[in-house]
């Protein structure tokens, strides 16, 4: 599970989508829209591409770690009920 989480949400979405659906009250259509947005974000990689052209590798690793920490950290806070759920348009 740790390797999958570091690889990105592409591998984890199937495992966490039932929890997201139940905790956040999303219907199947909203969950599918979230999955499409996740796939597009994973394929485009605009931030990583822009940084890799101008920055050293440690900056890329730091940016990726920060994105994972913020994204998965907020998701964990929402699922455990410690933070309010974000509207779907903000999650995408």
């Amino acid at each position: 599970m740790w390797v999958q989480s570091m690889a990105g949400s592409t591998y984890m979405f199937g495992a966490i989508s039932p929890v997201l659906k139940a905790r956040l009250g999303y219907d199947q259509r909203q969950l599918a829209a979230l999955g499409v947005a996740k796939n597009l974000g994973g394929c485009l990689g605009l931030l990583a591409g822009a940084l890799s052209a101008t920055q050293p590798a440690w900056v890329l690793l730091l940016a990726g770690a920060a994105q994972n920490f913020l994204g998965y950290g907020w998701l964990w806070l929402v699922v455990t009920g410690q933070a309010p759920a974000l509207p779907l348009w903000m999650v995408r």
Side-chain angles (χ1 to χ4, degrees):
M1 193 66 133
W2 279 106
V3 171
Q4 289 177 345
S5 72
M6 296 307 154
S9 60
T10 303
Y11 300 103
M12 291 215 24
F13 192 74
I16 63 175
S17 61
V19 177
L20 291 175
K21 188 175 180 181
R23 279 291 203 164
L24 303 178
Y26 291 165
D27 60 16
Q28 190 60 40
R29 187 171 158 248
Q30 291 172 315
L31 197 63
L34 185 62
V36 168
K38 173 208 52 87
N39 286 337
L40 285 175
C43 291
L44 295 178
L46 296 175
L47 179 62
L51 287 176
S52 68
T54 60
Q55 301 297 319
W58 68 268
V59 173
L60 295 174
L61 292 172
L62 187 62
Q67 286 179 337
N68 272 329
F69 181 73
L70 289 173
Y72 288 120
W74 188 263
L75 183 63
W76 177 77
L77 289 173
V78 168
V79 168
T80 58
Q82 299 177 23
L86 296 172
L88 184 61
W89 66 270
M90 286 184 78
V91 175
R92 286 196 228 172

